Amino acid sequence: MLVAAAVCPCPPLLVPEVAAGAAPELDAARTACDAALGAVLAADPELLVVVGEGPRTAFHEQGARGTFRAFGVDVDVVLGAPSDIPAEPLPLSLSVGAWLLARAGWDGPVRGYEVPGDSSWPANGEDGVHIAALADRVGLLVMGDGTACRTLKAPGYLDERAEGVDAGIAAALRDLDADGTLARLDADLSRELKISGRAPWQILSAAWDKDNGTGDLLYEDAPYGVGYFVASWT
């Protein structure tokens, strides 16, 4: 059963060493991520699952490793406690999630779930139900960004649709996706607007018991022209 979830963005710039001199620009986002993840840990989950986009469908077990060396910094991360068991490397979204977990001091059981960005809604819904049933008390850390087309200098350039789409995503994250906005988020539109959170958010929506709980949107902004959201579902 899913007892709490934190929704966080996954840019490598969340890691101060990667952002370097620009690190203070995302201080508010980091603070909001800390608060959302803190609420998950306060719910006393038996298992914490980090969900994020990647090139394949796969679970990553505790001890899996990620790295930010591609960004010119000597920073590696481990998903939970270190392990000598060989494991596939974490995709970037889960590496940022592992960094947030280490920052929060989580030392309990943890798994990662990697999902392709073009994964379909029915499959994502089934994944959400399955993940929620992995333990009696499951916590989720859901990693993903909104559109990357909010400004002329954004990674995807300016697209006039982006602001409205991000507004709908923000409302759904605030309202526990009560109207199914996340489930209906179109894969083709998400690809055009470079949204990385569609599949992870759909997994969250399916995992959540919509008759219970509260949602809180802790952060919403578009630094660098990319929509970033932090939400807490408890």
Side-chain angles (χ1 to χ4, degrees), residues 151-228:
T151 67
L152 293 174
K153 294 184 178 180
Y157 197 65
L158 176 65
D159 190 309
E160 294 181 354
R161 300 173 294 176
E163 186 172 355
V165 170
D166 277 344
I169 293 168
L173 293 175
R174 183 190 62 232
D175 299 333
L176 303 174
D177 197 28
D179 63 355
T181 293
L182 301 179
R184 296 194 306 270
L185 196 55
D186 183 73
D188 291 336
L189 176 65
S190 297
R191 182 173 58 254
E192 292 168 9
L193 298 181
K194 301 186 181 300
I195 297 171
S196 69
R198 184 190 70 92
W201 298 332
Q202 289 185 343
I203 288 172
L204 166 63
S205 179
W208 191 255
D209 180 352
K210 293 179 174 58
D211 293 330
N212 295 289
T214 59
D216 190 7
L217 186 65
L218 304 178
Y219 177 89
E220 176 193 3
D221 202 355
Y224 319 116
V226 182
Y228 295 156

Side-chain angles (χ1 to χ4, degrees), residues 5-88:
V7 174
C8 295
C10 57
L13 290 174
L14 271 184
V15 181
E17 291 89 340
V18 175
E25 296 176 10
L26 289 181
D27 279 348
R30 293 186 195 94
T31 299
C33 289
D34 292 342
L37 187 50
V40 174
L41 304 190
D44 194 25
E46 299 172 21
L47 172 68
L48 204 152
V49 182
V50 187
V51 180
E53 186 178 291
R56 63 196 184 107
T57 299
F59 272 105
H60 294 265
E61 301 304 327
Q62 185 165 309
R65 297 179 178 274
T67 183
F68 298 98
R69 293 176 185 265
F71 301 95
V73 297
D74 187 15
V75 177
D76 299 320
V77 291
V78 179
L79 185 64
S83 170
D84 293 330
I85 299 174
E88 292 294 325

Side-chain angles (χ1 to χ4, degrees), residues 96-174:
V96 177
W99 178 82
L100 286 172
L101 281 182
R103 176 178 167 98
W106 173 253
D107 58 3
V110 60
R111 300 179 78 182
Y113 187 66
E114 174 183 353
V115 59
D118 60 357
S119 180
S120 67
W121 158 243
N124 294 336
E126 293 166 4
D127 285 349
V129 173
H130 173 68
I131 289 172
L134 289 175
D136 287 340
R137 299 184 63 82
V138 176
L140 283 185
L141 173 56
V142 183
M143 309 300 298
D145 300 339
T147 70
C149 305
R150 293 281 293 272
T151 67
L152 293 174
K153 294 184 178 180
Y157 197 65
L158 176 65
D159 190 309
E160 294 181 354
R161 300 173 294 176
E163 186 172 355
V165 170
D166 277 344
I169 293 168
L173 293 175
R174 183 190 62 232

